[in-house]
Amino acid sequence: MTIPTSNAAAPLEAADVTAAVPPETAAQKGGDGRSPGKLAWRRFKRDRTGVISGIVVIFFFVVGIAAPLIAKLYGKNPYTTYGQNDTSLLDDFGSPVLPNGGISGDFWFGIEPGLGRDVFTFLLYGIRNSLLIAAATTLLLTVVGVAVGITAGYLGGKTDYLVGRVIDILLAFPSTLFFIAFWPVLLSILVDPEENTPVWLTVVTLISVMAAFGWASIARLLRGEVLALREREFVEAAKVTGASPARIIFKELLPNLWTPILIQATLALPAYVTAEAGLAFLGVGLTSPTPDWGVMIQRGSDVYQSDITFMLFPGASMVIFVIAFNLLGDSVRDALDPKTKR
């Protein structure tokens, strides 16, 4: 007699097989074990607009940093008045003899009407100076804004009240008007009006004045963030363990503030590029013969009726840079905070 086999072992075998399958690792699940920085970088790389904008921004900074080397390889400099040295380059009215602003194999972007300076090297050094001033101003106001905002938010009380009123007053000022009014006053204190102001002093005072009126917005934002964070459980736990205020600020608060700090900085830099160019256009800040975006546009506004080419290159390059940096800032914001993704 044949003994019937039981199928009870089948489910057991299936269970054994199932149990033998190793659980999915965090990496296989799609990034659950990654750090916030790696996740943000991964999201940023998927944003084609942000990547292209980042490449454009890096290109402008590389061009600015390498301006002396490029000019040396090119064989010209932004200060030599080639049109005055070679009378065949300009006509009797000071306009380039060749069409399109005098563009040729010797002068890739043409020459400046009147003096005949090389536009290509003038633009290279203009990008260098403009980005230097904007980047230094952004860095300085960010450091001051972070320090003041975190201090006011963490200490609270009278300190917070006093800092808050100072911020309100600064934000109420029309900043551009105060740049124009206050910068010459500061220069007159440092330099005798009858003496020529050194370019380095002009740059330092310009950066100082713009940063002095520009830190309030980021300080106000961080003050509000710190007021909310200091009541959180992890801050209270750090206080209970006896952590010093400095440790709480640098170890507990600051790591949670990098996102708004970075976003505010990416928004501030292009704003100060245009602000500095606007001041130079109005005659405040850098002036000719120092290369600058605003100086070139101001000079181009005088000659655009006879030759618009001289204004075309600085105007187009500044617009491209500002748009690219603004798009980059939006992409960085979306990568750091996916909830705000457009």
Side-chain angles (χ1 to χ4, degrees), residues 312-328:
L312 176 64
F313 290 109
S317 61
M318 187 173 70
V319 169
I320 291 172
F321 175 82
V322 171
I323 292 176
F325 211 105
N326 283 329
L327 293 175
L328 177 63

Side-chain angles (χ1 to χ4, degrees), residues 141-171:
L141 69 87
T142 300
V143 171
V144 174
V146 169
V148 174
I150 292 179
T151 301
Y154 183 76
L155 295 180
K158 294 182 179 180
T159 302
D160 181 38
Y161 178 82
L162 178 61
V163 172
R165 301 295 74 76
V166 173
I167 291 174
D168 291 339
I169 293 172
L170 287 176
L171 292 177

Side-chain angles (χ1 to χ4, degrees), residues 96-162:
V97 173
L98 296 177
N100 300 319
I103 294 177
S104 64
D106 294 328
F107 300 96
W108 294 353
F109 286 5
I111 58 177
E112 176 191 9
L115 297 177
R117 291 178 291 193
D118 178 67
V119 176
F120 179 68
T121 53
F122 205 88
L123 179 61
L124 291 178
Y125 278 80
I127 292 173
R128 177 188 179 90
N129 292 336
S130 294
L131 294 186
L132 168 65
I133 293 173
T137 302
T138 301
L139 179 62
L140 181 58
L141 69 87
T142 300
V143 171
V144 174
V146 169
V148 174
I150 292 179
T151 301
Y154 183 76
L155 295 180
K158 294 182 179 180
T159 302
D160 181 38
Y161 178 82
L162 178 61

